[in-house]
Amino acid sequence: MRRVIAGSRSVRRIWLIAVCASIGFAPIDAPIQAQDKATGRWHGAITTPIGQLTLVISLREAADGTRSGDMESIDQAAGEKIPLANVTSSAARLTFSVPSIGATYEADWNDAAQVCTGTFRQGATLPLSLKRGVPAAMPVVDGLDGTWRAQLPRGTANLRLVLHVVTTTYGTRVRLDSPDLGAMGLEVAQFARQRDSVRFTIPAAGVEFLGTMAPGGVVSGTWTRTGQPAVQVTFARDVAAPVAPTRSQWPITIKGYRAEEVSFANAADARVVLAGTLTIPDGAGPFPAVVLISGSGPQDRDETIFGHRPFAVLADYLTRRGIAVLRYDDRGFAKSRGDFAAATSADFATDANAAVRFLLARNDVDHTNIGFVGHSEGGMVGPIAAVANDRVAFVVMLAGPGTRTDHLLMSQRRLMGLSQGQTPEQLDRAEPLLNELMRAVRVAPDSASAVARIRERLTPDAMAKLGGTSAEREIIVSQFSSAWMRYFLNYEPSAILSRLRVPVLAVNGTVDQQVPAVENLAAIRVALAKNHAATVRELPGLNHFFQTARTGALGEYDGIAETFAPSAMEVVGDWILQHRAGAGNH
């Protein structure tokens, strides 16, 4: 259950969606007396684009006055208790952290409402109110516990569906994964069975399913989604526990180098303290060094996604070749402190430069050969940081943006939409509206103005063109009006890339569907035309994560055993070592 905000780490990097939230909780039986505030069980819910997630918090006080506790996400992993740390309580305030998932909670006591009203932060900032006790149990649905799988026909594609049905003391709770759409842990509501009839809804997607139990342990029925034709879907229950996908490059055995847990502060923002891992080759050094910069969404130091740890694999490879590597958890995530949700790419650039300052204080690092290796949005953050820091000796862009960001989003949407079964006509229908929304955000002077302009354009007819429900309207408003999105849509890659005077390597996989290689690299070549130390390369058969892939579709990522193609790592390692001499000349 190490993903309390399910899907939050991958959603923004796929469609760049920020999470929005509201609260929900069950009734309280009696007022809480002041002396009871610090201990006992509490509950509340956060609302995300995938639906509501209910949390149960247990707080305890030892004889010496120290406090401890645990947290349970009963919609995702009922029964799994995650330890709390730094628990503090007073007559007016409650705070705690959840180190294993990089989350914090801060709340004030509201005597009138008899509730703790506060903010839960895990990359995103989510309102969360806690009331005494546990939530009312959901109804128990007998005979359907287990994992059910189906194929959803959409155009030329068959999209995988995975239904998880679990009954505990909290009743029967159900979640749905759609791996090919990058949607994991969607809330399933109104789940019910009457004899052989089974029905449920998925509020976040505007879906209703009505099926019938059939011989052989399957449920067949009609899947209806707002704005799309109804289709027949058959769910079959797993007869054995699913086997975890293999990871051919994991686990890693550290050999030929050492690894250190490190932390460093960001002088540009006193609230930000970054935690990471520095891997250093055996020997005296000093060694050339790179700072790895992750892609969109809150990421840990390994850039963990879909069961892969690409930055851990890349760091191992580069360090074995004699290059020191620093990778760190994003601000406000895992072991790093700070506010991720309020940050823009420019803020992340100050984090990257804080990493450079940390390396400049070490004797085992060659201070004239420190560079950035950024993936996806990290390939945008690296250049932003480099133009502001004359100590950066080189920049590597792994699928970093070169085209205008609004054009990039539309190209990404089309490629991924076609691979997910949408027709060109469906995609065409929404494009004018999406372009209008992005233009409105680009010219908005502030967040409030952006919100007003977006809401004005998201009429019922507009939502129908987007294929979204009315419930999704505010999610779209939140995603488009965020500080991060406003900065992203106003970012001009050529304006930054043309200012780089250090060696640059820009690479893209030819089957990348998130940052399409041909148009992206063409724009980068133009922007770097006056930089005679720039290298721009297409890498055949690799996807957005530089895995060897068949189509590059999102649904392939988790099923590929390879985490990072050795051929791609070799290109990066060779280039860094070849550009050691003379590095640092700006």
Side-chain angles (χ1 to χ4, degrees):
M1 198 231 61
R2 294 298 185 256
R3 54 180 179 96
V4 169
I5 303 172
S8 66
R9 280 187 279 173
S10 60
V11 168
R12 196 172 82 180
R13 65 166 48 187
I14 303 304
W15 224 120
L16 308 154
I17 299 175
V19 188
C20 75
S22 61
I23 7 176
F25 40 82
I28 182 170
D29 295 327
I32 302 171
Q33 301 303 315
Q35 63 267 29
D36 295 329
K37 289 180 186 176
T39 60
R41 302 181 79 186
W42 304 72
H43 73 279
I46 52 180
T47 302
T48 79
I50 64 169
Q52 281 200 345
L53 298 176
T54 302
L55 305 180
V56 175
I57 309 296
S58 298
L59 299 176
R60 298 176 289 275
E61 182 177 2
D64 62 0
T66 59
R67 304 186 189 280
S68 62
D70 56 62
M71 181 177 75
E72 184 180 4
S73 178
I74 63 176
D75 294 306
Q76 296 176 302
E80 183 177 345
K81 307 294 179 66
I82 305 177
L84 305 181
N86 307 312
V87 180
T88 66
S89 177
S90 68
R93 193 160 177 78
L94 169 68
T95 67
F96 59 77
S97 64
V98 196
S100 64
I101 61 170
T104 61
Y105 181 65
E106 299 180 0
D108 294 320
W109 177 247
N110 184 325
D111 281 304
Q114 291 285 287
V115 63
C116 280
T117 303
T119 303
F120 185 90
R121 300 174 185 269
Q122 190 200 12
T125 299
L126 305 172
L128 171 64
S129 288
L130 295 176
K131 278 198 171 183
R132 175 71 71 180
V134 297
M138 301 282 286
V140 171
V141 180
D142 292 323
L144 294 178
D145 276 25
T147 300
W148 300 75
R149 300 177 191 274
Q151 298 278 332
L152 173 66
R154 281 293 179 227
T156 59
N158 286 314
L159 308 180
R160 292 170 292 165
L161 301 175
V162 186
L163 196 68
H164 304 280
V165 184
V166 180
T167 300
T168 68
T169 55
Y170 299 107
T172 299
R173 292 180 177 265
V174 189
R175 291 275 151 176
L176 180 98
D177 298 339
S178 180
D180 299 305
L181 296 179
M184 311 299 283
L186 291 168
E187 177 191 7
V188 175
Q190 302 175 29
F191 188 79
R193 175 184 181 181
Q194 186 174 16
R195 295 186 179 179
D196 290 336
S197 177
V198 178
R199 69 164 60 237
F200 60 81
T201 64
I202 305 171
V207 167
E208 181 176 354
F209 176 79
L210 177 60
T212 303
M213 293 284 293
V218 300
V219 178
S220 296
T222 305
W223 178 281
T224 306
R225 181 175 183 183
T226 304
Q228 296 187 357
V231 294
Q232 292 300 116
V233 170
T234 297
F235 285 92
R237 181 159 42 188
D238 286 354
V239 296
V243 178
T246 57
R247 298 290 178 251
S248 59
Q249 295 165 305
W250 188 265
I252 288 169
T253 301
I254 295 177
K255 186 177 180 181
Y257 64 92
R258 63 189 187 275
E260 295 181 14
E261 288 285 313
V262 300
S263 65
F264 50 95
N266 182 344
D269 187 338
R271 300 167 298 175
V272 176
V273 178
L274 301 159
T277 300
L278 175 64
T279 50
I280 308 164
D282 287 343
F287 302 101
V290 298
V291 174
L292 302 187
I293 311 172
S294 66
S296 301
Q299 300 290 312
D300 65 21
R301 67 194 68 185
D302 295 336
E303 205 185 35
T304 303
I305 190 169
F306 297 114
H308 290 283
R309 303 184 183 186
F311 273 12
V313 172
L314 179 60
D316 173 76
Y317 174 84
L318 294 177
T319 312
R320 289 174 188 269
R321 294 201 60 183
I323 302 166
V325 179
L326 175 58
R327 62 191 198 273
Y328 54 91
D329 304 325
D330 287 348
R331 60 165 68 190
F333 191 75
K335 295 183 179 180
S336 290
R337 300 205 306 267
D339 187 349
F340 182 92
T344 68
S345 301
D347 297 316
F348 300 138
T350 68
D351 295 342
N353 278 330
V356 172
R357 284 191 292 274
F358 170 80
L359 292 175
L360 287 169
R362 295 188 62 103
N363 294 328
D364 47 6
V365 167
D366 180 354
H367 297 174
T368 67
N369 282 283
I370 299 173
F372 293 131
V373 176
H375 174 236
S376 196
E377 185 191 353
M380 162 181 167
V381 171
I384 294 171
V387 298
N389 188 348
D390 62 6
R391 303 304 297 270
V392 176
F394 56 87
V395 173
V396 177
M397 301 169 62
L398 303 175
T403 59
R404 258 181 50 177
T405 48
D406 54 344
H407 294 168
L408 171 62
L409 291 185
M410 297 306 291
S411 297
Q412 177 189 102
R413 174 181 178 272
R414 180 161 288 271
L415 278 175
M416 296 184 72
L418 290 172
S419 73
Q420 293 165 352
Q422 295 188 58
T423 65
E425 292 74 23
Q426 288 174 316
L427 294 165
D428 290 343
R429 191 160 54 244
E431 279 193 3
L433 174 60
L434 288 170
N435 280 320
E436 186 179 347
L437 288 174
M438 287 189 283
R439 280 195 298 271
V441 172
R442 284 170 66 96
V443 300
D446 52 41
S447 180
S449 176
V451 167
R453 294 174 188 219
I454 296 164
R455 283 188 177 144
E456 180 184 351
R457 288 161 174 80
L458 288 181
T459 63
D461 180 62
M463 289 303 301
K465 288 180 180 178
L466 292 176
T469 65
S470 57
E472 294 174 290
R473 181 173 180 264
E474 287 307 303
I475 294 173
I476 296 173
V477 171
S478 176
Q479 91 180 49
F480 271 91
S481 63
S482 69
W484 180 88
M485 180 64 88
R486 294 193 341 267
Y487 182 93
F488 184 83
L489 288 176
N490 279 290
Y491 176 70
E492 296 283 356
S494 61
I496 293 294
L497 296 177
S498 63
R499 293 171 57 191
L500 290 173
R501 298 292 180 265
V502 296
V504 178
L505 170 65
V507 294
N508 255 120
T510 57
V511 295
D512 188 337
Q513 291 194 5
Q514 291 176 239
V515 181
V518 173
E519 61 186 90
N520 191 62
L521 293 183
I524 291 175
R525 286 189 182 95
V526 172
L528 295 174
K530 295 183 179 179
N531 186 332
H532 300 298
T535 303
V536 182
R537 287 188 59 176
E538 287 187 27
L539 302 183
L542 303 187
N543 64 17
H544 186 64
F545 286 95
F546 295 89
Q547 300 167 294
T548 303
R550 184 173 60 86
T551 68
L554 173 64
E556 290 182 338
Y557 294 157
D558 65 340
I560 299 174
E562 177 183 81
T563 295
F564 209 122
S567 60
M569 292 192 291
E570 184 177 5
V571 167
V572 174
D574 285 351
W575 185 90
I576 291 172
L577 294 175
Q578 288 167 4
H579 287 79
R580 259 188 95 175
N585 297 324
H586 292 251

